[in-house]
Amino acid sequence: MTTDAKPRIKITYATLRNDNEELHALYEAGVQASTAGLGRHHRNFIDGLWVEGSAGTFEVRTPIDTDIVLGTFARGDAGDVEQAVDAARRAQPAWRRTPWQDRLTILRRAAELISERQMVYGADMAWEVGKNRLEALGEVEEAADLIRYYAQTMEHNEGYDHPMDNLGDASVHTRTVLRPHGVFAVISPFNFPMALAAGPIGAAVMAGNTVVFKPSSTSPLTGINLVQAFADAGLPAGVVNFVMGPGDTVGEALQTSRGIDGIVFTGSYDVGYRLYKSFSTLWPRPCIVEMGGKNPAIVTRKADLEEAAEGIMRSAFGFGGQKCSANSRVYVDAQVHDELIRLLVEKTEKISIGNPISREYWLGPVIDAKAVARHQQAVAEARQDGRVFSGGEHLTDGDLARGFYVEPTVVGLPAGHRLFQDELFAPFTAVSKVGSLSEALALANDSTYGLTAGIYSEDPGEVERFLDEIEAGVLYVNRRAGATTGAWPGVQAFGGWKGSGSTGKAGLSMYYVAQFMREQSHTVVD
Ligand code: NAD
């Protein structure tokens, strides 16, 4: 399942060009290897061994074509979780005593393996969740870069072990040391199945914790690939354990286990916020929850409308709007509304929709029938309460009938409509006219969520005001590559405010690894 070939250019989410022939040839080879592996059986990974689950198996089919079985997967239960937690507890003392430099060496090897296997892992991910090739390859590279970047932050902070001041008595030596909590549970979502597992696991483990990882049941294959890379890099048995299965059994068992010292969850607001409120019982346990978004773009009358339309189209419809950072609401100055809609519709109607494994299609399916239903319900409401400017249909012609394909959809609605509040996770963006930047900012901030936001304006004063007043963790100004999407490790810190995240510290940035440790002060007198 590996290929050593690496592209010469780095694919990121801001990569706009899709014309590197060498890259396409490498990807086609990855697709071939991936396709040959479809249909296999995959197991859990506990204490360094691949093992069956105690609750049987489950099957995953690709959203691209539901006739194609991706594989069967071991279904774990609460007992498997406890075994995995026990293995992680046993492994943790030796792992935390392993010098942090040695821990980083193993993790950097894992990052290299992920990059080397980028083509097959990317193709597996494309089959699994329906990403197009640049999105899939970008995510695999992001996973590797997250580990590399976090390792660099650990080094820059000298392993978080620092001498402190002395009050005049030379016989007293004081230090402050960040030390691991113990065992972290890592629960990841379907939409970034590799990056949002590799980042948390990499950070937890380099900090000296051990991990029990549960992937989304929609995207277990990418979880397997990641765990395989960690194992092949030489992580000792028990440091990373992996249990597949439903959220309401395996996920619940993880969050209620007494053997778990901290949890990092990425997923929806409903599940994440409930987990946040219930996780601590005997004493506070660290609980990093990264949740959903309803991310606004503001377009003022001083915007470059061509740039705005391009950025909105890319962020609203890239990966079918199934990014936590997707741009799902637009507040545009009434004076430029019609021209923005014209440009946005023009660009949206040029989007090619189909099997995203194939080079010619930019937009693949949504993840499942429920996502199609949410999209169709939203379209029905928009037809009734506003106007559909573009798209709206469920596509069922020919091969598309066997997958979950919908048209990218631009609608106009009054700003108070529920479709400006609820996260849909589908290729659907709602536009409302506003009279001023003040109105746009007030509407943008009137949300449970606060993940990403964007503005298009050529006026520095407006931009300054946006940066000062908007309530969100990740801001973009005049970005053609994406109005609200496309963060990269070490480049854009990525974390939510309000109902989008719990800690106020972002991923992809220099404060992340420290969240997996607790501070201890050492005062030693000679
Ligand atoms: P989800 O909440 O349905 O599931 C996320 C994970 O939680 C899955 O592994 C699931 O099995 C598990 N889970 C479900 N019920 C559980 C329970 N009771 N206890 C413990 N675990 C449980 O989310 P999803 O559909 O996989 O992902 C999409 C969501 O994730 C969107 O809301 C999106 O905005 C959000 N997201 C946020 C970020 C971010 O960085 N803020 C990034 C990606 C996705």
Side-chain angles (χ1 to χ4, degrees), residues 42-46 51-58 73-82 84 214-215 217 242-251 253:
H42 302 276
R43 291 175 290 176
N44 291 330
F45 190 68
I46 298 177
V51 293
E52 293 301 342
S54 301
T57 61
F58 63 102
F73 298 86
R75 186 195 294 266
D77 68 6
D80 298 329
V81 168
E82 270 326 291
K214 186 199 105 56
S217 298
F242 174 70
V243 184
M244 297 177 278
D248 56 10
T249 57
V250 171

Side-chain angles (χ1 to χ4, degrees), residues 188 190-191 196 214 252 255 265 267-268 274 291-292 324 423:
S188 61
F190 83 83
N191 66 330
L196 294 179
K214 186 199 105 56
E252 284 289 336
Q255 54 163 307
F265 165 92
S268 61
R274 197 170 64 79
M291 301 174 284
C324 49
E423 187 184 42

Side-chain angles (χ1 to χ4, degrees), residues 18-230:
N18 188 17
D19 58 358
N20 180 310
E21 293 307 321
E22 185 197 356
L23 178 81
H24 285 289
L26 291 171
Y27 186 70
E28 296 296 345
V31 169
Q32 259 188 14
S34 164
T35 307
L38 294 182
R40 290 198 184 127
H41 177 62
H42 302 276
R43 291 175 290 176
N44 291 330
F45 190 68
I46 298 177
D47 209 6
L49 297 173
W50 292 100
V51 293
E52 293 301 342
S54 301
T57 61
F58 63 102
E59 184 185 84
V60 178
R61 290 167 186 256
T62 168
I64 293 171
D65 180 338
T66 51
D67 281 356
I68 301 174
V69 175
L70 217 74
T72 59
F73 298 86
R75 186 195 294 266
D77 68 6
D80 298 329
V81 168
E82 270 326 291
Q83 275 188 31
V85 171
D86 287 348
R89 294 211 79 77
R90 284 194 303 275
Q92 205 262 336
W95 181 244
R96 76 171 162 79
R97 290 190 189 104
T98 303
W100 60 267
Q101 295 89 339
D102 296 351
R103 298 201 297 259
L104 293 196
T105 302
I106 299 175
L107 285 157
R108 284 185 163 129
R109 207 180 296 140
E112 285 313 297
L113 289 175
I114 292 168
S115 287
E116 276 173 24
R117 299 170 183 179
Q118 183 184 21
M119 297 298 153
V120 181
Y121 284 3
D124 279 351
M125 189 192 295
W127 279 123
E128 188 161 62
V129 297
K131 291 200 174 193
N132 74 22
R133 55 183 62 186
L134 285 188
E135 296 274 6
L137 292 174
E139 185 182 339
V140 178
E141 193 58 19
E142 185 194 7
D145 264 12
L146 278 164
I147 296 171
R148 293 187 190 107
Y149 177 73
Y150 292 154
Q152 188 187 311
T153 65
M154 186 91 185
E155 248 165 22
H156 285 170
N157 289 283
E158 294 161 13
Y160 298 95
D161 180 344
H162 297 294
M164 299 287 275
D165 281 350
N166 182 292
L167 293 176
D169 181 346
S171 68
V172 181
H173 307 278
T174 55
R175 305 188 72 77
T176 182
V177 190
L178 289 194
R179 306 194 62 194
H181 285 271
V183 178
F184 261 83
V186 174
I187 299 181
S188 61
F190 83 83
N191 66 330
F192 281 87
M194 184 161 278
L196 294 179
I201 296 171
V205 165
M206 69 180 67
N209 303 282
T210 53
V211 159
V212 181
F213 162 39
K214 186 199 105 56
S216 163
S217 298
T218 314
S219 53
L221 180 58
T222 297
I224 301 267
N225 287 339
L226 179 64
V227 170
Q228 187 71 58
F230 281 130

Side-chain angles (χ1 to χ4, degrees), residues 9 75 209 262 268 272 317 329 337 416 490:
I9 59 165
R75 186 195 294 266
N209 303 282
S268 61
F317 305 131
R329 50 193 180 122
H337 171 270

